[in-house]
Amino acid sequence: MKYIESLIRNIPDFPKPGIQFKDITPVLADAEAFKTVIDWYAMSVEAAGGCDVIAGIESRGFIFGSALARKLHKGFIPIRKPGKLPFTTHRETYQLEYGQDAVEIHTDAVKQGERVALIDDLLATGGTANASISLIEKAGGEIVCSAFVIELDFLRGRERLNLHEEKIFSFIHY
Ligand code: AMP
């Protein structure tokens, strides 16, 4: 864990002043670190009782989520920023500090009652992950867990998630 932490690079004031951006690209570039993180996601999903399919949030959730899906021999569902998915979509908007944002999923992405593990790189305010949880439920899925390499505890994102505390997994806390 200390090794993974040492690879996470802090970029001050990116993409906006005041934001401490956690850059995980050095973790991806290191074969052992990448494997360790994917193995940790897999253990988290197992601890939550397993899943039928993995959903990943654009864009770093695609990288971790698809590697995890391959490891667990599951399919992968992309949750994307608005206007990117070509087929009919469900959309969920959420509040940011200033303004709002949205995420989308294909209307046929989840089968009725499917058990979905939701993956992203980082939990900050929880707006993105919570909107993604709503989307998956709207599409007919059940969230078994949500897992993040990094959680920014001081933003209390997990309190915003409509998900039981035991189903939220984070590898490194700041
Ligand atoms: P939030 O909706 O506030 O929980 O933000 C989570 C999403 O924004 C994730 O997809 C993260 O990749 C990204 N994000 C938010 N804050 C940061 C940060 N400090 N460093 C890197 N990514 C971030």
Side-chain angles (χ1 to χ4, degrees), residues 3-4 7 26-39:
Y3 181 57
I4 306 292
L7 290 175
V27 177
L28 302 177
D30 184 305
E32 274 311 309
F34 194 15
K35 178 179 185 297
T36 300
V37 167
I38 298 303
D39 289 350

Side-chain angles (χ1 to χ4, degrees), residues 21 27 30 34 54 66 70 78-79 130 134 139 142 155 158:
F21 191 87
V27 177
D30 184 305
F34 194 15
I54 305 292
S66 51
R70 181 64 192 85
I79 294 176
N130 199 48
S134 302
E142 179 204 335
L155 292 174
R158 64 171 53 222

